[in-house]
Amino acid sequence: MEGHYEPLKGYNPFRILSLHSAPSADDPIKCTLKICQLPCHGTEHHTVKFEAVSYVWGPNVIQHEISLDGWPVGVRTNLWHFLLQRRHPTEIVDMWIDALCIDQANLKEKNDQVQKMGRIYEEAQTVIVWLGEEAGDSAFAMDLMNDWHTSSRLTKFLDQSRVTSSLLAWFRRDYWTRTWVVQEFLLARDLSVVCGNSIVQWQALRQFCSDVQFEANKSRVSKPTSIEWLAFTQQAAYGLIMQRAHGKPSQMPLFRLLIRNKDTECYDPRDKI
């Protein structure tokens, strides 16, 4: 990925990406960068307002192009779809995206910014977890999670094989198995999970997984139901969600986060280091 980046200078510098508005989905994607400063660790005053994006880069194939500070820059397909989905018709959206906010061709800058990633995700107003485009009945699965207090009472009237298959497909998305999303997911002050045009907020996701835990425990000592609750608890997604729900990730060093999630994967094995 080529770009023309202004050097980072000053105390704790990092870049914020401004995603410019467009009235039509067919309009070219235009972004600009600005340099900001991270506040000192432990400071409660959040001086920079931005979202941070947690996502999977995907295969190293450049098929799309955006404008970044007026220069053409190639992006991978998963990021391209996210930018299209997040772009607002009338408002600029400020966000941090590693692939664009870090000069990937500058090894020294890349190493320095990677060390700041935990602070960036802690500092963000919210973290957007991008699972990718809608697939595998994901919209149905997220509707269930968003309205689980109602859905749980109606599951006996629904196609229960569809309930199981759609939720399992959602829990088995590539995102949940990648190493670097662990710290991004756990360190967020607040987060929302986006898949296609569907969104589930953290509190709804947490409540759903708590109910999954309850149902799974109940199925161990009673007659199994047609919904495979135990299968959900065996997924990496469930473990990560419950880790956030019950842990104190902001007090956990990065190496401990990675050790606890050592079975996750990287596209580049060096990212484990």
Side-chain angles (χ1 to χ4, degrees):
M1 183 182 304
E2 295 182 358
H4 296 259
Y5 287 85
E6 179 184 350
L8 292 174
K9 297 179 181 179
Y11 177 77
N12 267 352
F14 75 119
R15 296 185 187 91
I16 293 293
L17 179 100
S18 295
L19 176 60
H20 290 250
S21 61
S24 170
D26 295 327
D27 290 339
I29 295 175
K30 297 181 179 180
C31 304
T32 52
L33 293 168
K34 56 186 176 183
I35 296 176
C36 302
Q37 273 70 45
L38 280 169
C40 296
H41 189 74
T43 302
E44 294 187 3
H45 182 57
H46 303 285
T47 56
V48 186
K49 308 297 183 185
F50 67 98
E51 303 169 350
V53 184
S54 180
Y55 69 110
V56 173
W57 279 38
N60 187 15
V61 179
I62 303 300
Q63 296 180 318
H64 306 279
E65 190 175 88
I66 69 169
S67 171
L68 184 63
D69 283 339
W71 294 90
V73 173
V75 296
R76 302 187 193 189
T77 298
N78 194 38
L79 179 54
W80 166 262
H81 287 302
F82 169 76
L83 293 171
L84 284 175
Q85 193 279 339
R86 186 64 189 93
R87 185 168 60 176
H88 195 277
T90 60
E91 299 175 3
I92 292 176
V93 181
D94 285 341
M95 60 183 67
W96 190 84
I97 302 175
D98 55 358
L100 298 175
C101 292
I102 299 174
D103 183 356
Q104 299 295 325
N106 185 331
L107 183 59
K108 183 178 183 301
E109 176 183 302
K110 184 177 177 180
N111 290 338
D112 178 69
Q113 290 294 293
V114 165
Q115 297 301 315
K116 292 183 169 71
M117 283 178 62
R119 286 285 296 117
I120 290 170
Y121 281 93
E122 284 181 317
E123 186 65 22
Q125 285 182 293
T126 188
V127 169
I128 299 177
V129 172
W130 171 245
L131 297 185
E133 293 186 280
E134 180 179 335
D137 217 3
S138 56
F140 176 71
M142 294 178 79
D143 284 345
L144 288 174
M145 288 185 276
N146 272 320
D147 196 22
W148 187 244
H149 284 299
T150 300
S151 302
S152 60
R153 296 193 297 270
L154 297 177
T155 51
K156 63 182 178 181
F157 302 110
L158 299 174
D159 179 346
Q160 299 200 4
S161 64
R162 184 186 181 192
V163 171
T164 297
S165 63
S166 65
L167 288 171
L168 276 177
W170 191 89
F171 271 61
R172 289 170 176 165
R173 286 269 182 156
D174 280 351
Y175 173 88
W176 303 110
T177 66
R178 301 303 174 189
T179 299
W180 280 108
V181 306
V182 171
Q183 68 160 339
E184 300 164 5
F185 190 89
L186 296 180
L187 294 177
R189 283 193 281 160
D190 190 22
L191 62 80
S192 56
V193 181
V194 182
C195 184
N197 292 319
S198 300
I199 301 174
V200 60
Q201 301 296 337
W202 164 244
Q203 290 303 327
L205 182 58
R206 176 179 180 170
Q207 183 60 55
F208 172 74
C209 284
S210 294
D211 287 352
V212 165
Q213 184 179 46
F214 174 80
E215 294 292 343
N217 289 337
K218 188 168 67 173
S219 69
R220 288 187 176 96
V221 295
S222 60
K223 183 180 179 180
T225 65
S226 55
I227 298 179
E228 300 172 20
W229 299 110
L230 283 173
F232 296 128
T233 65
Q234 297 164 1
Q235 307 306 313
Y238 173 84
L240 189 58
I241 293 164
M242 297 307 287
Q243 192 173 333
R244 174 178 169 86
H246 298 303
K248 294 182 178 179
S250 62
Q251 300 175 7
M252 192 179 299
L254 174 58
F255 78 93
R256 286 188 58 200
L257 293 179
L258 296 181
I259 287 173
R260 286 182 62 172
N261 298 273
K262 59 183 173 59
D263 294 328
T264 54
E265 303 171 358
C266 288
Y267 280 110
D268 184 344
R270 291 171 297 179
D271 288 343
K272 284 272 193 178
I273 300 174

